[in-house]
């Protein structure tokens, strides 16, 4: 049976870093699908364009489209970690396609710490601090709160990468 882990959390909390420390798992991001769609729709990938693309994916049942695109990326792979599931429709449709409920891991980090991490990424679509606050609110409204309640495990990211690296190692022992 395919082993699927969903990493969830607010933007910049360290989901991608946790995924890198999960040895033997192939990493995928819902954000990559959204960024690819944004590039198709717009020439310039600004925070506004990203937000419009996210809104498009989260209206008229297109959360299922996002889940289906992700499933096409991971189908047949034995161990995958997927970063960024944001709501119930996306999650339940993916579960239906996969024929199983993935293990859900919630990565938490305070907003001030997340802002520092986001700025070090250097992505053009990161926006401003007020954009992050608005994005947090939007993602919670869109269903991230539901996903947090689905979590089987929690990882706290409040320190160094070395400290964070220890969390996935102990987590993998519990999951496997």
């Amino acid at each position: 049976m395919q082993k699927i882990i969903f990493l969830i959390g607010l933007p910049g909390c360290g989901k991608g870093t946790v995924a890198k420390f999960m040895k033997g798992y192939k990493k995928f991001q819902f954000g990559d699908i959204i960024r690819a769609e944004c590039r198709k729709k717009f020439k310039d990938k600004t925070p506004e364009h990203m937000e419009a693309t996210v809104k498009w994916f989260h209206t008229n049942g297109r959360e299922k489209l996002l889940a289906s695109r992700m499933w096409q990326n991971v189908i047949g792979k034995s161990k995958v970690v997927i970063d960024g599931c944001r709501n119930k429709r996306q999650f339940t449709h993916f579960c239906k396609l996969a024929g199983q409920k993935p293990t859900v891991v919630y990565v938490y980090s305070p907003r001030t710490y997340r802002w520092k991490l986001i700025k070090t990424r250097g992505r053009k679509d990161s926006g401003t601090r007020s954009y992050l606050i608005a994005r947090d609110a939007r993602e919670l409204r869109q269903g991230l709160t539901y996903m947090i309640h689905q979590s089987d495990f929690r990882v706290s990211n409040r320190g160094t990468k070395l400290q964070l690296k220890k969390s996935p190692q102990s987590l993998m022992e519990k999951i496997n």
Side-chain angles (χ1 to χ4, degrees):
M1 177 183 261
Q2 190 176 28
K3 186 72 177 168
I4 304 170
I5 299 172
F6 272 21
L7 294 177
I8 60 154
L10 290 162
C13 66
K15 298 179 299 288
T17 303
V18 169
K20 287 178 190 173
F21 294 136
M22 298 178 91
K23 302 278 189 239
Y25 281 77
K26 182 132 173 81
K27 179 185 163 198
F28 296 88
Q29 293 181 306
F30 277 102
D32 288 342
I33 296 168
I34 293 168
R35 283 185 283 279
E37 187 68 28
C38 183
R39 282 190 295 275
K40 284 188 344 190
K41 290 181 178 301
F42 305 99
K43 286 183 179 181
D44 198 11
K45 195 178 66 158
T46 65
E48 295 78 20
H49 293 155
M50 280 297 292
E51 193 161 329
T53 306
V54 167
K55 188 175 181 178
W56 181 82
F57 268 118
H58 289 93
T59 55
N60 300 324
R62 283 187 286 261
E63 298 92 348
K64 290 181 177 182
L65 173 62
L66 192 55
S68 295
R69 287 186 185 177
M70 179 55 74
W71 176 244
Q72 289 305 308
N73 288 336
V74 304
I75 194 168
K77 295 179 176 54
S78 61
K79 289 183 167 184
V80 297
V81 59
I82 301 172
D83 167 351
C85 185
R86 296 290 194 254
N87 66 44
K88 184 178 182 176
R89 279 188 181 159
Q90 192 178 340
F91 181 68
T92 56
H93 189 66
F94 186 92
C95 291
K96 182 179 174 183
L97 294 170
Q100 65 174 297
K101 178 192 177 283
T103 301
V104 179
V105 178
Y106 172 43
V107 182
Y108 170 80
S109 186
R111 183 179 291 145
T112 52
Y113 188 72
R114 289 187 296 116
W115 176 244
K116 289 177 189 173
L117 294 174
I118 287 170
K119 293 317 294 175
T120 63
R121 284 184 190 164
R123 282 189 195 157
K124 189 176 182 179
D125 62 341
S126 294
T128 62
R129 189 178 176 100
S130 59
Y131 172 74
L132 176 64
I133 292 167
R135 187 173 169 199
D136 284 356
R138 181 191 74 225
E139 291 194 9
L140 291 167
R141 273 192 320 273
Q142 286 175 337
L144 187 56
T145 302
Y146 169 83
M147 289 306 302
I148 291 168
H149 291 294
Q150 296 303 306
S151 64
D152 301 296
F153 301 97
R154 293 174 185 243
V155 171
S156 177
N157 181 15
R158 299 172 188 229
T160 65
K161 273 191 179 182
L162 183 60
Q163 290 168 321
L164 182 60
K165 187 176 184 176
K166 292 177 184 177
S167 293
Q169 290 169 347
S170 62
L171 178 66
M172 297 311 295
E173 290 170 13
K174 294 174 188 173
I175 292 174
N176 293 327

